């Protein structure tokens, strides 16, 4: 792997760290392939998506998430699919494709309901509500924020905790 000495300029440091990050992901891929740990492939693609998102290549990040979603579906890991769909919807929002974000969040919520993942449902409802605000559909966000609060209450969290979590999501 690349060894980064103390750089003279911040830009060199950032470039060096990006190279190290990519090399680490490539190393992880080689281990997964060498040991035939195919069930870890979706997480590798999610990690690669995170790498691309952080380095500013949102299209490549979306491609990696599409792959993570497809592989997770093949392994029938629907709770993972729900999580990756949520991440993909975040990218759609960042790219300004709010209609695609709304559809993708809705798919994510459906799958999270099937896996009974209350925490994921809270986050996804909050994200969907925020998307509706950006779309200018003001009645819908109140409904989805309310779902998030209700889910938090069912999880044993008080309404104030639920509202605080929604504010930090």
């Amino acid at each position: 792997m690349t060894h980064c000495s103390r750089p003279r300029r911040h830009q060199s440091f950032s470039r060096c760290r990006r190279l190290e990050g990519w090399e680490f992901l490539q190393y992880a891929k080689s281990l997964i392939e060498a040991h035939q740990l195919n069930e870890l492939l979706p997480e590798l693609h999610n990690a690669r998506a995170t790498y691309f998102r952080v380095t500013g290549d949102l299209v490549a990040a979306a491609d990696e998430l599409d792959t993570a979603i497809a592989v997770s579906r093949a392994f029938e890991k629907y709770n993972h699919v729900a999580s990756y769909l949520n991440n993909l919807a975040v990218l759609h929002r960042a790219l300004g494709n709010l209609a695609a974000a709304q559809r993708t969040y809705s798919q994510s919520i459906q799958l999270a309901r099937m896996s009974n993942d209350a925490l994921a449902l809270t986050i996804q409802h909050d994200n969907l509500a925020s998307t509706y605000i950006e779309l200018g559909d003001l009645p819908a966000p109140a409904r989805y924020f309310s779902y998030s609060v209700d889910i938090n209450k069912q999880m044993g969290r008080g309404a104030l905790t639920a509202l605080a979590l929604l504010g930090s999501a």
Side-chain angles (χ1 to χ4, degrees), residues 30-109:
S30 71
L31 289 175
I32 289 169
E33 290 172 349
H35 297 283
Q36 297 179 346
L37 300 170
N38 293 335
E39 68 276 3
L40 296 178
L41 284 171
E43 280 302 314
L44 174 67
H45 288 288
N46 188 50
R48 288 169 56 121
T50 301
Y51 171 85
F52 285 124
R53 182 183 51 80
V54 168
T55 59
D57 191 344
L58 301 184
V59 174
D63 289 343
E64 290 291 340
L65 285 170
D66 284 337
T67 302
I69 291 164
V71 175
S72 291
R73 284 186 196 276
F75 283 112
E76 298 181 4
K77 301 279 187 175
Y78 296 110
N79 57 330
H80 294 177
V81 174
S83 176
Y84 303 145
L85 283 168
N86 183 71
N87 295 348
L88 182 60
V90 169
L91 288 175
H92 284 310
R93 278 178 66 191
L95 289 166
N97 193 345
L98 299 178
Q102 183 271 330
R103 286 189 306 274
T104 307
Y105 282 132
S106 295
Q107 292 171 7
S108 178
I109 288 169

Side-chain angles (χ1 to χ4, degrees), residues 1-6 16-17 20 23:
M1 287 196 185
T2 302
H3 174 71
C4 292
S5 60
R6 186 175 183 103
C16 187
R17 290 292 179 219
E20 283 182 341
E23 287 177 355

